[in-house]
Amino acid sequence: MRWTQAFIPTMREAPADAEAPSHQLLLRAGYIRQVAAGLYAHLFLARKSLLKISQIIREEMNRIGAQEFYLPALNPAELWKETGRWDQVDVIFKFKDRNAHDLCLGITHEEEMTNIARQELHSYKQLPQIWYQIQEKFRDEPRPKSGLLRLRQFLMKDSYSFDLDEAGLDVSYQKHYDAYCRIFDRCGLKYQVAEAYSGMMGGSYSHEFMAPTDAGEDLIAVSDCGYAANLEKAQSKAPPVEDPPGEGAPEAFPTPSQKTIEQLVAFTGESPARMIKTLDYMVESKPVVILLRGDHTLSETKLAMALGTGVFRPATPEEAFALHHAHLGSLGPVNLRGVRILADSALAGRRDMMTGANQDDTHLRHVTPGRDFEAEYHDVRVVAEGDLCMRCGKPLRVVKTMELGHVFKLGRKYSEAMGARVLDETGKEVTLVMGSYGIGLERILSAAAEQNHDQDGLFLPRPIAPFEAIITAANMDDAAVREAGEKIYREAQTQAVDALFDDRPERPGVKFKDADLIGAPYRVTVGKKRLEQGMVEIFQRSTRQARPVRLEHAVGALKEELDRGC
RNA sequence: CGGGGCGUGGCGCAGUCUGGUAGCGCGCUUGCCUUGGGCGCAAGAGGUCCCCGGUUCGAAUCCGGGCGCCCCGACCA
């Protein structure tokens, strides 16, 4: 492609709305333009890159025997009512057609795929099946953000596996896991596979493929031993805390206006790890007291697991007062009767701690869990940086990441609800066991941009860069330079190098700046001085290393560099 | 949905408090000049000041209502 014929609207300045580096640079480099919140037009460069990404995905899916489908994005409500998701999922775009028939735009396609499965799969002999598509998905997100990171319409590769039993699902799941690793490897991304929270569907199991980047919106805990998990699910051992040997009974002491842990730390000089934080929740309309170490944070996701229900909310100050006869800031578990008390496991075995006295402006010291109050112990805290790995005991790191893909063992949730059954070899009717597996295509591009940029622009991994190289003729008015550029461009085409020839009559500075911006991993620079020696330059964008090569070897040398991987 | 910010030419912004002919930089067009890091000179084009209503002789500016976008939080099948 010649730049004079390409539509690559680069911008010197990023629109003020863009904050994340990937967002700013994809706009500045002319990849995308915003249409509305969470909706972006993919221009030439974005489309080109996304087509390369989808081709990689397609190849790896096909390699595990998956079959590509293409289903409508527009779907009738009936199927979604069958599984209950019509009412349960609040991000569905719903509307009526001219006949007042309920329709929605697909957020994923479990229902539609399962519908096909139940109509067409009748025998174990037809199993296993893996069906996938690369299709638009629509979600009425409360808050779209960060350019292509959280969109209302986006491209997703979603696949669905249908097996006779769990053992079959394990195989389909593992195939996907391996395919996903190959896909993200081939896309040149740094990523981490993390165990993921799998909701309240017992026995389910999932992994997320996470790209470390500051623009991400998920936190994962990572250990040197290979353990990694989303913070929603991650478990850890809290580093041990030295408690004093004191065996004294709880003793009240005045703490005027000391309400927060922070204030109490300043007031008493004790560390927050020596304090018990008391939180009240209303769980299905009944109060539950939750205890945490002062420096720990409650995980509502884990709380839901521990309680076996998601129906809860923090108690109001009035509800808390009714229970403790004290205001927030002085709550504690000692002498509380007739209420369920749930303590984080990090409190087990501790002694001589400090907590609220259930009397305003008063706290208790010498409080020992198990002696001074009884509680059920559960893991309900969010892993903190520095907590110890449950497996290897080494400190965990907390890393900010972007979710690229998710593989999920669904089990029989959809097949059961929709009656997708086949006959097994004994003639018995069995419900299909399903998995579902997603990849966000725009997120691959965003993550690649986040992981491969500097102030001047992008340098995307070769397999997903819109162009593998840009040929920059420094001065198109110089006949020798122009012709050398043309020659390299022609040869690149012959050699199947996907190159952009910058043949614009611009000043060199403009062309270099644009070349730095748009994400090609290499630049071949043709300039007057070197050309007089019969030389041009191969410039690696990521390292900014330039090396001279003979004009006639330029494309060969470029190919070598490209093939070496970048 | 709660909190905050913003809306003026394609992009970045000033002007709004204190009402009086709509400005600057970049970009764009044309000509000259220049040609290895967004060069210089000159002449131009381009704006419903987010929308609706009100106040006023007069509204980008004041008042009321609405819409849109961004950020933080909540949420995220």
Side-chain angles (χ1 to χ4, degrees):
Chain A
M1 173 63 73
R2 290 168 182 276
W3 197 312
T4 48
Q5 286 157 27
F7 180 63
I8 305 172
T10 59
M11 287 187 289
R12 190 189 290 240
E13 289 174 287
D17 280 349
E19 210 156 87
S22 59
H23 187 195
Q24 294 189 349
L25 290 171
L26 291 172
L27 282 167
R28 283 190 53 208
Y31 280 60
I32 55 172
R33 286 295 181 263
Q34 185 172 30
V35 174
L39 299 174
Y40 284 84
H42 299 169
L43 308 185
F44 180 52
L45 292 186
R47 183 62 182 160
K48 212 158 177 306
S49 174
L50 286 163
L51 284 171
K52 290 186 178 183
I53 291 167
S54 54
Q55 188 52 31
I56 289 170
I57 294 173
R58 184 170 285 120
E59 286 169 14
E60 294 302 335
M61 292 307 296
N62 292 349
R63 197 158 124 167
I64 62 167
Q67 304 152 73
E68 185 166 5
F69 286 17
Y70 185 82
L71 270 43
L74 183 58
N75 292 117
E78 281 74 15
L79 297 175
W80 292 74
K81 288 178 178 166
E82 280 189 57
T83 61
R85 290 214 291 176
W86 180 265
D87 294 312
Q88 286 162 16
V89 180
D90 72 340
V91 294
I92 303 177
F93 277 108
K94 304 173 184 172
F95 51 96
K96 291 179 191 299
D97 67 13
R98 62 175 65 221
N99 298 316
H101 190 98
D102 282 323
L103 295 169
C104 67
L105 295 171
I107 54 167
T108 56
H109 281 75
E110 277 82 359
E111 279 79 358
E112 288 71 24
M113 286 287 189
T114 308
N115 183 44
I116 294 170
R118 72 174 164 186
Q119 288 172 25
E120 310 297 337
L121 297 177
H122 308 294
S123 160
Y124 73 95
K125 292 177 191 167
Q126 293 171 291
L127 300 180
Q129 291 289 332
I130 299 175
W131 301 340
Y132 77 99
Q133 59 172 346
I134 298 173
Q135 218 259 15
E136 294 75 19
K137 294 287 183 283
F138 299 85
R139 296 182 190 183
D140 192 0
E141 288 284 349
R143 183 147 97 85
K145 58 177 277 196
S146 303
L148 299 187
L149 188 54
R150 200 195 301 191
L151 296 161
R152 292 196 292 175
Q153 174 180 342
F154 57 98
L155 288 166
M156 182 186 238
K157 186 289 300 176
D158 49 317
S159 46
Y160 306 86
S161 63
F162 301 91
D163 283 280
L164 194 63
D165 52 27
E166 271 77 7
L169 172 58
D170 289 346
V171 173
S172 295
Y173 187 87
Q174 190 61 41
K175 280 182 178 176
H176 276 87
Y177 188 106
D178 296 342
Y180 276 36
C181 289
R182 282 194 293 267
I183 288 165
F184 297 124
D185 284 339
R186 284 185 62 185
C187 287
L189 292 169
K190 296 187 211 47
Y191 65 96
Q192 178 81 48
V193 187
E195 295 177 14
Y197 172 61
S198 40
M200 245 156 294
M201 296 175 279
S204 278
Y205 179 74
S206 78
H207 285 94
E208 290 169 328
F209 290 74
M210 312 298 275
T213 144
D214 287 339
E217 37 184 15
D218 283 289
L219 297 171
I220 62 171
V222 183
S223 165
D224 288 337
C225 69
Y227 174 74
N230 195 300
L231 234 50
E232 289 180 334
K233 159 158 190 173
Q235 298 190 318
S236 65
K237 278 187 294 213
V241 178
E242 279 294 314
D243 290 320
E247 291 291 345
E251 177 197 339
F253 65 104
T255 50
S257 307
Q258 308 301 308
K259 294 191 185 307
T260 65
I261 294 286
E262 231 172 69
Q263 289 169 340
L264 214 55
V265 166
F267 186 78
T268 62
E270 281 283 6
S271 98
R274 300 261 307 115
M275 310 197 173
I276 298 172
K277 180 156 51 176
T278 307
L279 305 173
D280 286 4
Y281 269 70
M282 296 302 284
V283 180
E284 290 174 340
S285 328
K286 284 196 290 233
V288 172
V289 174
I290 295 149
L291 305 177
L292 290 160
R293 216 171 82 177
D295 55 339
H296 285 160
T297 308
L298 175 68
S299 161
E300 291 202 346
T301 311
K302 288 185 179 178
L303 180 61
M305 300 284 273
L307 293 168
T309 174
V311 184
F312 57 78
R313 59 169 173 82
T316 64
E318 294 72 30
E319 287 164 341
F321 186 85
L323 188 63
H324 296 266
H325 308 293
H327 291 98
L328 298 187
S330 301
L331 309 184
V334 179
N335 292 326
L336 266 192
R337 301 276 176 259
V339 61
R340 187 172 176 194
I341 301 179
L342 211 148
D344 181 65
S345 39
L347 291 176
R350 298 290 307 279
R351 288 188 310 181
D352 201 33
M353 300 182 75
M354 208 174 272
T355 191
N358 293 329
Q359 182 186 332
D360 285 352
D361 297 327
T362 309
H363 281 76
L364 296 176
R365 56 182 154 229
H366 312 313
V367 173
T368 294
R371 181 191 70 188
D372 300 321
F373 63 87
E374 292 298 329
E376 308 162 40
Y377 290 88
H378 290 276
D379 174 23
V380 291
R381 74 177 186 282
V382 178
V383 169
E385 179 93 40
D387 278 6
L388 306 178
C389 176
M390 298 287 275
R391 292 195 192 156
C392 69
K394 288 193 204 145
L396 291 166
R397 296 185 307 281
V398 173
V399 180
K400 207 170 201 193
T401 58
M402 181 189 301
E403 181 183 355
L404 302 173
H406 202 153
V407 292
F408 200 91
K409 291 189 181 177
L410 286 178
R412 298 183 177 80
K413 179 178 173 179
Y414 295 88
S415 46
E416 184 77 59
M418 297 181 66
R421 290 181 287 270
V422 299
L423 297 181
D424 70 8
E425 51 274 56
T426 67
K428 196 175 68 189
E429 208 171 46
V430 298
T431 300
L432 293 172
V433 183
M434 293 175 56
S436 90
Y437 318 87
I439 292 180
L441 299 239
E442 286 95 335
R443 283 189 173 182
I444 291 181
L445 178 56
S446 295
E450 291 288 340
Q451 291 181 351
N452 302 284
H453 75 271
D454 57 25
Q455 282 208 319
D456 293 322
L458 302 167
F459 35 95
L460 298 183
R462 178 227 183 152
I464 65 169
F467 286 103
E468 295 176 308
I470 173 163
I471 300 159
T472 300
N475 178 3
M476 287 300 285
D477 286 341
D478 184 302
V481 167
R482 187 178 64 235
E483 276 158 30
E486 294 280 0
K487 177 176 146 53
I488 293 169
Y489 177 51
R490 272 198 308 277
E491 209 177 311
Q493 289 178 297
T494 322
Q495 302 276 318
V497 174
D498 192 4
L500 176 67
F501 178 30
D502 189 351
D503 57 342
R504 295 174 301 170
E506 293 285 351
R507 293 177 55 81
V510 174
K511 301 176 94 166
F512 291 141
K513 286 291 183 191
D514 276 346
D516 286 349
L517 230 198
I518 66 165
Y522 283 93
R523 183 181 85 204
V524 180
T525 318
V526 187
K528 192 173 168 200
K529 257 211 184 115
R530 282 216 192 273
L531 194 58
E532 281 165 5
Q533 320 302 317
M535 309 289 280
V536 297
E537 253 169 31
I538 293 184
F539 174 86
Q540 184 175 29
R541 176 60 182 83
S542 58
T543 60
R544 295 192 166 280
Q545 297 297 306
R547 69 182 176 98
V549 295
R550 298 210 59 81
L551 170 61
E552 56 274 23
H553 299 149
V555 175
L558 174 64
K559 270 199 86 137
E560 268 174 42
E561 291 246 10
L562 285 168
D563 290 343
R564 208 176 306 141
C566 45

